[in-house]
Amino acid sequence: TQMPGLPTKLLAGASLVVLDTTLVDGLAQTVVTVNNPFVPPMTILSIDSKITYNGVVLGSVVSTFGTPPVIPGVGAGTITAALVMNTNPHDLVTLIRSQAVANGLNTDAFDGLLALQAGGNPSPDLFVGFNVADFVTKAMVGLAVDITMTTTVK
């Protein structure tokens, strides 16, 4: 998001909203914050991007806007677009576990769930007080991904 001679980052950040239907259709919503360091406004005509983590594609955004978002001159704005997510269980489990380790979480109960799913017989004591939703939320804190994006602007 940097241009030679321009110290401002054009892509300020992105967030992901997992929808109730995401596991069914693989579609989530992303909100991208864009900085416009130029005086004229920027009209975003299209986005073609790939989101990766450690070389694994987590999702992509390919969108041509019917009503293009406009980022004001010398300002910031947001773009909301559909995100096609990678819902491959192996990739998601690998991401969650590696992020949990990076965040210093104890993965014993999570590993026990994986062993149980694979036909193993982990100790029930592993799961006392374990909340998988809370674990995943804590694991995802600070997730940094690589975004490769081509954007057509006016």
Side-chain angles (χ1 to χ4, degrees), residues 7 12 19 29 31 34 53 57-58 72 76 80 89 99 106 113 125 149:
L19 307 170
Q29 186 179 60
V31 178
V34 178
Y53 176 79
V57 176
L58 298 178
T80 302
Q99 272 299 113
N106 181 333
L113 284 176
D125 294 341
M149 179 167 44

Side-chain angles (χ1 to χ4, degrees), residues 10-19 27-35 44 47 49 51 60-61 63 65 69 71 76-85 145 147 149:
L10 300 176
L11 181 62
S15 63
L16 170 71
V17 178
V18 177
L19 307 170
L27 295 176
Q29 186 179 60
T30 185
V31 178
V32 179
T33 303
V34 178
N35 288 322
I44 310 298
I47 294 176
S49 69
I51 298 95
S60 62
V61 175
S63 185
F65 300 99
I71 310 303
T78 59
I79 301 167
T80 302
L83 170 71
V84 179
M85 288 191 63
V145 296
I147 300 173
M149 179 167 44

Side-chain angles (χ1 to χ4, degrees), residues 86-139:
N86 172 354
T87 56
N88 178 296
H90 177 266
D91 292 344
L92 296 176
V93 165
T94 301
L95 168 68
I96 292 166
R97 190 175 191 292
S98 66
Q99 272 299 113
V101 169
N103 285 334
L105 300 177
N106 181 333
T107 61
D108 291 347
F110 188 73
D111 293 340
L113 284 176
L114 299 177
L116 185 64
Q117 190 273 333
N121 190 21
S123 169
D125 294 341
L126 279 177
F127 307 112
V128 173
F130 180 69
N131 179 318
V132 70
D134 185 50
F135 177 84
V136 171
T137 299
K138 288 179 181 175

